[in-house]
Amino acid sequence: IDCINKNNGVIVADVVGLGKSIIASAIAHNLDMTTVIIAPPHLKTQWEEYVSRFRIPGAIVESSGKIKHLHDRYAKYGQPILYILDEAHRYRNELTDDYQLLHQLTRSHVDNKVLLLTATPYNNRPQDLFAMVKLFQTPSRSTINSVDNLGIRFHDLIVEYRKLEKVGKKNMTVEIEEKLKKLSLELRLLIDPVVIRRSRIDLKEIKEYADDLKIQGIDFPEINGPTLIQYDLGDMRDLYIATLMKITDTE
């Protein structure tokens, strides 16, 4: 909530199964704003239940295929709105009509707030993340402490990424991989002030979470690594290797 109030938005990026929708519902209840929830069609009923359960004021739930309808209804709305975008990584392509309408919608009032829910924020290209952040940030007047001009900083990262991606497609060397890892870290640090991310390890190691899980009788199973299983291909071995050679031949 502090992050939203300061930056007009936040990316809730808890790993799968830790309750991003519940966190978002609790935030909406506490902000006490007119709330518009945009969710994939198969999650609409679940969100309607959360609206009732958390008593989210004046909330409507709309499917992700109705962006145009929402734009027509709320683009000139006179009061600030909290927009909750479930599976926000769907809105990472600036070239789509839906993104353009959504951007106009979320930026239509100076006091609008945006809550993005996605479990995979760091799996995106710099340009994809920039598109999502722009739903609640003005690049030239960013409120993120780590950077003065968000647009310039992202532009540099995007240019560098595209250059490395182009070279890597032809010849992915160790050096290119290291540069991509470094760029990924820079990107993560850049958006860190507007990202809230918890893992299952966090829930076990942070006392408040661990105590709460114990009270509720909730425990996460231990996950073992994969087991190597070897197969004897017998008479198929030569054919298998020949097939691999054909489909991996780069000449």
Side-chain angles (χ1 to χ4, degrees):
I1 290 175
D2 288 341
C3 184
I4 292 175
N5 287 333
K6 179 182 177 183
N7 301 301
N8 286 331
V10 66
I11 301 174
V12 175
D14 293 347
V15 300
V16 174
L18 296 193
K20 290 184 291 295
S21 301
I22 291 174
I23 293 293
S25 299
I27 291 171
H29 173 82
N30 281 278
L31 287 179
D32 196 26
M33 297 173 63
T34 298
T35 302
V36 173
I37 300 163
I38 304 174
H42 67 281
L43 295 178
K44 188 175 177 183
T45 300
Q46 174 183 294
W47 272 106
E48 289 170 344
E49 292 173 357
Y50 286 146
V51 166
S52 174
R53 179 179 171 187
F54 284 84
R55 300 189 301 279
I56 304 175
I60 70 158
V61 181
E62 195 58 88
S63 73
S64 51
K66 299 292 184 68
I67 303 294
K68 179 66 166 60
H69 167 72
L70 291 172
H71 182 274
D72 292 343
R73 182 176 178 181
Y74 290 107
K76 296 182 180 180
Y77 198 70
Q79 299 296 320
I81 295 175
L82 168 67
Y83 289 96
I84 299 177
L85 308 183
D86 199 1
E87 295 193 9
H89 46 274
R90 291 168 175 254
Y91 310 105
R92 60 189 181 188
N93 186 348
E94 292 188 67
L95 301 180
T96 64
D97 291 340
D98 271 356
Y99 179 87
Q100 294 298 325
L101 292 171
L102 188 60
H103 185 267
Q104 294 171 18
L105 192 60
T106 58
R107 307 297 287 149
S108 61
H109 193 288
V110 67
D111 292 321
N112 280 350
K113 309 295 184 187
V114 180
L115 180 50
L116 305 179
L117 310 182
T118 175
T120 58
Y122 302 124
N123 291 359
N124 294 284
R125 303 172 302 169
Q127 52 267 44
D128 297 337
L129 270 174
F130 190 34
M132 287 193 286
V133 171
K134 282 195 292 185
L135 293 174
F136 59 88
Q137 282 281 294
T138 301
S140 60
R141 299 193 302 275
S142 172
T143 59
I144 300 176
N145 289 337
S146 59
V147 61
D148 293 328
N149 191 309
L150 201 61
I152 292 176
R153 190 69 192 95
F154 261 105
H155 175 268
D156 293 343
L157 291 173
I158 291 169
V159 169
E160 178 68 12
Y161 177 82
R162 284 174 172 164
K163 182 172 68 176
L164 293 172
E165 184 182 39
K166 183 177 180 180
V167 175
K169 283 182 178 179
K170 295 180 179 179
N171 183 25
M172 180 58 74
T173 64
V174 174
E175 182 183 3
I176 296 297
E177 287 182 347
E178 288 301 317
K179 287 183 177 180
L180 283 170
K181 288 179 182 178
K182 181 180 178 183
L183 187 145
S184 177
L185 178 59
E186 290 180 25
L187 184 61
R188 181 176 297 205
L189 292 174
L190 177 63
I191 66 168
D192 186 66
V194 291
V195 174
I196 305 296
R197 183 172 175 81
R198 299 174 305 160
S199 68
R200 293 188 177 191
I201 292 175
D202 292 327
L203 298 196
K204 289 182 178 181
E205 294 185 350
I206 297 174
K207 187 177 185 302
E208 289 83 357
Y209 292 139
D211 290 347
D212 185 56
L213 289 174
K214 186 175 181 180
I215 291 171
Q216 296 189 61
I218 297 174
D219 191 24
F220 296 118
E222 295 294 334
I223 300 176
N224 297 321
T227 300
L228 177 64
I229 300 177
Q230 296 183 333
Y231 294 90
D232 183 0
L233 298 178
D235 295 339
M236 296 292 292
R237 183 177 183 278
D238 290 342
L239 177 60
Y240 178 75
I241 293 175
T243 303
L244 284 181
M245 294 299 291
K246 282 183 177 295
I247 64 177
T248 59
D249 186 6
T250 58
E251 295 298 327

